[in-house]
Amino acid sequence: MPHLFDPSKIVDGKSHTKRHLEKVRTWVAKRMPQAGKPPKVSCKEVLCGDPTCAPVDTVIDLLFEDQSRMVALPFEAQDVTEEILDHLFPPSEVLTEWMAGRDAAWPPPPNDELRFEVGSRVECCVGTDHWEPGTVVALWYTEEGFPPGFYAPYQVELDMGNLIFAPDDSDRCVRELISLEGLNVSDGA
């Protein structure tokens, strides 16, 4: 009778993951521009508790002399390919700027089409069943302190003077302001 247990077929999960993370790190190092001092590169897998994201991300930390940057890939290390890295990793121009200690936006703002334009009159949800009117002043807004790569679809100046951002382009967050001016409203008499 053949033996069903073959110890040579056992895959050690930690060494398996480590091998794939090293593969990703090598591919990243290959993509570094030749000009300037390359960063130290470390890779790790991170569990994501957000139900809208991948359960495990591969995170690449780039440690430059005067700053650090992080690139997250929504894949387990074993599933990362060079094609995925080409698509989701910063291009040479951005890496060159980072190596020189200069800021360069990455990832770039989304190019998804939004429902409103700068200057549009909207209402923003600012509390449970509380809406405030305002004007869209910027699209794909970001600021220091936002998570890397996060862009709010809109920055809105409320009529009361506050600047806020709408984190989602949906009617539950921001909607068109309906003005009663110009509507033919009768009192029913």
Side-chain angles (χ1 to χ4, degrees):
M1 177 162 187
H3 193 279
L4 298 177
F5 177 70
D6 183 356
S8 68
K9 302 292 184 200
I10 295 176
V11 176
D12 175 7
K14 287 184 182 179
S15 65
H16 176 74
T17 300
K18 188 175 179 178
R19 188 172 67 251
H20 287 288
L21 289 170
E22 181 57 28
K23 169 193 71 176
V24 172
R25 195 194 66 69
T26 301
W27 290 342
V28 167
K30 247 178 31 177
R31 284 163 174 73
M32 287 297 142
Q34 296 305 308
K37 184 176 179 186
K40 292 181 181 172
V41 178
S42 72
C43 298
K44 62 187 172 221
E45 286 187 338
V46 176
L47 294 176
C48 182
D50 183 345
T52 64
C53 73
V56 176
D57 288 348
T58 298
V59 175
I60 303 163
D61 289 313
L62 303 172
L63 307 171
F64 297 93
E65 285 186 2
D66 61 346
Q67 64 178 321
S68 63
R69 299 291 180 146
M70 179 184 76
V71 177
L73 308 175
F75 300 93
E76 291 184 40
Q78 70 182 8
D79 297 325
V80 174
T81 64
E82 287 197 77
E83 292 77 24
I84 288 170
L85 203 55
D86 287 339
H87 181 68
L88 298 176
F89 196 71
S92 174
E93 302 80 38
V94 170
L95 294 168
T96 299
E97 291 297 306
W98 289 352
M99 288 167 70
R102 294 185 292 267
D103 194 28
W106 184 261
N111 60 2
D112 300 347
E113 195 166 319
L114 297 173
R115 297 178 299 148
F116 305 112
E117 299 174 350
V118 170
S120 296
R121 295 287 293 153
V122 295
E123 285 185 303
C124 297
C125 183
V126 294
T128 306
D129 295 325
H130 184 84
W131 295 81
E132 288 290 333
T135 303
V136 174
V137 296
L139 304 179
W140 296 119
Y141 174 73
T142 192
E143 65 182 42
E144 192 173 319
F146 279 5
F150 176 78
Y151 291 87
Y154 305 105
Q155 184 182 35
V156 176
E157 183 174 4
L158 298 178
D159 289 357
M160 68 174 79
N162 300 22
L163 275 174
I164 66 168
F165 66 89
D168 187 34
D169 187 18
S170 69
D171 278 343
R172 69 180 172 25
C173 185
V174 58
R175 62 189 181 197
E176 182 179 7
L177 177 65
I178 305 296
S179 170
L180 294 179
E181 275 182 37
L183 292 178
N184 187 6
V185 180
S186 73
D187 62 359

